[in-house]
């Protein structure tokens, strides 16, 4: 089962590692790429924390994809992961010649993770893009949540 021996934490760490390697114009795409640890929560400064950390990418397991039972009652364990991305500045959404916008960050995350498998030792299908939505749309910041699923084998 996927919840044993820190499997989900290891899978989350693998996602962080692959996203942390993304580049744009020979520069790291994300200044901050890590596990979600409430870095931009209201208690941590909210929009100020958002601006201080951007461009960022935070990864978390979130069980939004409903697991089911197969015909023989075996568990069909669906894993769900959310990727929070954000960029700051008046050009945060579309970017500029000197920085990628959130839409570029979004495209890079989806291109990297859709149909991606973390490798040997991970007993799941490839991650699949599920959906995304805007969660911050402000004058000097733009953020999105991108969701992926994978079936636990």
């Amino acid at each position: 089962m996927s919840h044993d021996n820190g499997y989900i934490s290891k899978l989350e760490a693998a996602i962080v590692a692959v996203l942390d390697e993304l580049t744009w114009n020979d520069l790291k795409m994300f200044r901050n790429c890590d596990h979600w640890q409430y870095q931009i929560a209201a208690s941590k400064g909210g929009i100020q924390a958002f601006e201080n950390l951007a461009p960022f990418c935070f990864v978390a397991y979130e069980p939004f994809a409903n697991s089911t039972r197969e015909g023989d009652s075996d568990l069909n364990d669906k894993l769900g992961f959310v990727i929070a991305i954000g960029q700051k500045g008046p050009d945060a959404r579309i970017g500029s010649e000197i920085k990628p916008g959130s839409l570029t960050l979004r495209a890079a995350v989806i291109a990297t993770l859709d149909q991606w498998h973390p490798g040997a030792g991970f007993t799941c299908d490839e991650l699949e893009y599920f959906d995304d939505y805007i969660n911050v749309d402000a004058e000097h910041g733009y953020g999105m949540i991108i969701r992926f699923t994978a079936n636990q084998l």
Side-chain angles (χ1 to χ4, degrees):
M1 184 173 184
S2 64
H3 307 288
D4 291 341
N5 301 319
Y7 180 84
I8 291 175
S9 296
K10 291 173 188 169
L11 184 49
E12 193 176 287
I15 295 169
V16 169
V18 74
L19 293 176
D20 195 37
E21 295 298 317
L22 294 179
T23 60
W24 182 83
N25 287 350
D26 297 323
L27 299 172
K28 283 187 73 108
M29 186 166 277
F30 298 107
R31 193 172 88 191
N32 291 285
C33 186
D34 204 350
H35 298 269
W36 171 246
Q37 298 170 0
Y38 305 97
Q39 293 93 327
I40 55 174
S43 62
K44 303 272 178 120
I47 197 67
Q48 186 63 45
F50 183 103
E51 290 179 3
N52 290 340
L53 295 171
F56 61 77
C57 173
F58 300 124
V59 179
Y61 170 75
E62 184 176 292
F64 63 84
N66 294 330
S67 295
T68 59
R69 293 281 174 182
E70 297 174 353
D72 58 0
S73 292
D74 283 347
L75 178 63
N76 180 13
D77 195 4
K78 292 187 181 276
L79 307 176
F81 292 92
V82 295
I83 317 297
I85 60 168
Q87 181 60 286
K88 65 180 177 180
D91 52 0
R93 187 176 67 81
I94 59 172
S96 68
E97 291 180 11
I98 61 170
K99 74 176 182 186
S102 288
L103 299 178
T104 300
L105 302 177
R106 173 194 177 273
V109 168
I110 293 172
T112 300
L113 293 181
D114 187 45
Q115 301 301 310
W116 173 81
H117 190 273
F122 289 95
T123 56
C124 63
D125 289 335
E126 292 84 6
L127 268 68
E128 293 183 349
Y129 168 77
F130 184 78
D131 69 1
D132 59 271
Y133 57 91
I134 299 164
N135 68 340
V136 174
D137 186 1
E139 186 176 352
H140 293 285
Y142 196 83
M144 302 179 80
I145 298 294
I146 308 167
R147 301 192 307 173
F148 292 86
T149 61
N151 292 319
Q152 172 67 28
L153 301 176

